[in-house]
Amino acid sequence: LSGKFDKEKGVNVQVVLRCRPLNDDEKKANTQVVISCNEHRREVSAAQNIANKLIDRTFTFDKVFGPTSKQKDLFDQAVAPIVNEVLEGYNCTIFAYGQTGTGKTYTMEGGGRKAKLGEFPSDAGVIPRSVKQIFEILEAQCAEYSMKVTFLELYNEEITDLLAPDESKFSDDKNKKPIALMEDGKSGVLVRGLEEEVVYTAGEIYKILDKGSAKRRTAETLLNKQSSRSHSIFSITIHIKEITPEGEEMIKSGKLNLVDLAGSENISRSGARDGRAREAGEINKSLLTLGRVINALVEHSGHIPYRDSKLTRLLRDSLGGKTKTCIIATVSPSILCLEETLSTLDYAHRAK
Ligand code: ADP
Ligand code: MG
């Protein structure tokens, strides 16, 4: 890990692991727990049954959050420092990676508890907490700034705008407005036709987030759990006006991408017949390419295969160079998920 933080080359990829608690059904069924977390040593062990012997495999990460970890702790320890970098002018990305049902959306968005008036819910996830911190810092600095957000979903290598005003996408495919990715010289890629909302307060962003994730949930029910096969990307771009010591005006800009990835089981399962095969293949492409891009960055390899998937093209200006990346890998403690858990641990560990 230590070698991965390289100031000169600017490559900084941090990998943290989070294990969710057993849910009520799993507890009732006396589900066997096979994952143990040692937060202090930053280690996760998986007990594997090999030839009737339980063998522990241990993985080390930059940080480990066990089943009793709180949303606030994960944010304060793993995410808050990255949000600060965004305000210093870095482009940063936080990924949630893991099998469906392990807590990616819980970690990124939250547990769905509604905020009481003037009170932040304790189960609020990384996105609302990041927004809150960004506004708190900007207000404390009395900074002059502008901010805009986008929220999109990537499914089957196709982009859907979660902030688009019409709901037509899910009722009538003919009305779907295609969104195109275009190469844009040095800044990377331009998304044509994407709604960009200019925001002035944290409250406005929370509303946008609610609207977008509601749209994502609608899609999930209508299109048979689409969301487990789709990636969502919530991006905040901030421009801050600064006066240099020489009295010149300067604009500092930073971007924060918060990405809830498709379920990692989509990497290993073929998806079988019909359109499903294509789906699995395409999701494969974005998730696999992301892995390859991160590996290439971490290993300082010359060629970074950004162009091989829409996900990595979209995030190109925020992966590599003067950027910071944090992967939050999520796992279940249950024996029933062990195989997927091991593949998540392997994937996440390779990214380190
Ligand atoms: P994913 O997005 O990876 O498919 P979810 O975030 O939807 O998974 O989580 C599945 C279920 O487990 C949800 O009901 C969620 O509230 C619960 N859950 C996930 N992580 C935690 C956690 N760390 N603590 C408590 N409940 C959790
Ligand atoms: Mg989810």
Side-chain angles (χ1 to χ4, degrees):
L1 136 89
S2 41
K4 306 316 183 216
F5 178 73
D6 184 333
K7 263 206 162 122
E8 257 155 59
K9 288 190 177 164
V11 176
N12 188 358
V13 179
Q14 186 183 207
V15 185
V16 308
L17 187 113
R18 183 181 212 185
C19 180
R20 71 159 168 81
L22 285 179
N23 61 37
D24 289 343
D25 289 345
E26 289 166 335
K27 277 186 207 150
K28 250 184 248 153
N30 268 325
T31 307
Q32 191 186 342
V33 167
V34 287
I35 301 299
S36 62
C37 296
N38 187 326
E39 298 187 355
H40 183 65
R41 299 181 56 143
R42 302 182 283 116
E43 280 175 3
V44 177
S45 300
Q48 232 180 328
N49 190 336
I50 297 171
N52 278 333
K53 265 199 216 145
L54 277 186
I55 303 208
D56 263 348
R57 277 183 69 193
T58 298
F59 301 78
T60 309
F61 294 94
D62 293 311
K63 292 196 172 63
V64 167
F65 297 91
T68 58
S69 66
K70 297 278 168 284
Q71 297 282 60
K72 182 179 189 303
D73 298 331
L74 182 132
F75 179 79
D76 289 349
Q77 292 170 38
V79 182
I82 293 179
V83 172
N84 293 340
E85 300 284 356
V86 173
L87 296 171
E88 293 303 319
Y90 278 80
N91 287 357
C92 302
T93 307
I94 317 270
F95 291 104
Y97 176 94
Q99 182 185 5
T100 298
T102 53
K104 294 182 299 298
T105 305
Y106 180 90
T107 297
M108 296 307 277
E109 295 181 8
R113 226 171 272 165
K114 281 283 165 245
K116 290 199 199 96
L117 205 64
E119 195 188 305
F120 213 58
S122 60
D123 66 350
V126 162
I127 301 180
R129 285 174 195 275
S130 301
V131 168
K132 182 166 174 262
Q133 178 170 328
I134 287 170
F135 277 100
E136 277 172 3
I137 293 175
L138 289 173
E139 271 152 31
Q141 290 174 345
C142 295
E144 210 178 303
Y145 61 85
S146 69
M147 200 182 297
K148 58 188 187 195
V149 304
T150 60
F151 196 9
L152 61 85
E153 187 171 57
L154 184 63
Y155 175 68
N156 223 355
E157 292 293 282
E158 247 177 65
I159 298 166
T160 301
D161 190 349
L162 292 173
L163 301 185
D166 67 301
E167 298 286 321
S168 58
K169 186 211 175 241
F170 308 116
S171 48
D172 182 357
D173 259 3
K174 283 197 296 277
N175 290 335
K176 197 166 73 179
K177 194 170 68 181
I179 294 174
L181 274 188
M182 297 183 306
E183 298 301 320
D184 165 32
K186 49 180 188 301
S187 79
V189 71
L190 211 98
V191 191
R192 197 188 56 203
L194 191 65
E195 208 73 36
E196 281 185 333
E197 297 214 17
V198 178
V199 287
Y200 300 97
T201 64
E204 284 174 286
I205 303 195
Y206 300 146
K207 273 199 202 123
I208 289 172
L209 178 62
D210 277 352
K211 191 171 99 180
S213 47
K215 203 160 171 179
R216 209 181 173 209
R217 277 195 300 276
T218 316
E220 182 173 2
T221 28
L222 288 185
L223 296 175
N224 183 24
K225 295 254 170 229
Q226 164 175 335
S227 86
S228 76
R229 297 194 287 270
S230 74
H231 312 280
S232 79
I233 308 179
F234 187 83
S235 303
I236 310 174
T237 308
I238 311 165
H239 299 286
I240 306 172
K241 197 191 274 180
E242 282 198 334
I243 308 292
T244 65
E246 293 76 38
E248 276 173 66
E249 207 173 86
M250 202 183 81
I251 302 289
K252 193 164 65 178
S253 39
K255 185 171 173 185
L256 179 63
N257 303 294
L258 301 158
V259 185
D260 188 347
L261 290 168
S264 55
E265 69 277 10
N266 291 295
I267 256 184
S268 38
R269 278 179 209 160
S270 72
R273 284 143 277 140
D274 313 328
R276 294 280 207 83
R278 170 150 176 269
E279 268 168 22
E282 299 288 12
I283 287 152
N284 239 333
K285 188 151 86 179
S286 273
L287 270 186
L288 284 173
T289 305
L290 176 65
R292 290 194 191 111
V293 163
I294 289 173
N295 269 333
L297 288 171
V298 157
E299 280 157 21
H300 305 305
S301 104
H303 174 69
I304 318 286
Y306 294 109
R307 290 191 56 88
D308 291 0
S309 79
K310 284 239 169 92
L311 181 68
T312 48
R313 286 177 69 196
L314 277 167
L315 295 173
R316 181 176 188 147
D317 67 352
S318 305
L319 290 172
K322 195 188 161 205
T323 68
K324 314 233 159 174
T325 302
C326 175
I327 301 169
I328 304 170
T330 57
V331 296
S332 152
S334 158
I335 189 164
L336 302 172
C337 299
L338 183 57
E339 201 182 319
E340 284 297 343
T341 296
L342 284 167
S343 82
T344 297
L345 292 169
D346 273 329
Y347 180 102
H349 199 257
R350 254 182 294 131
K352 245 171 51 102

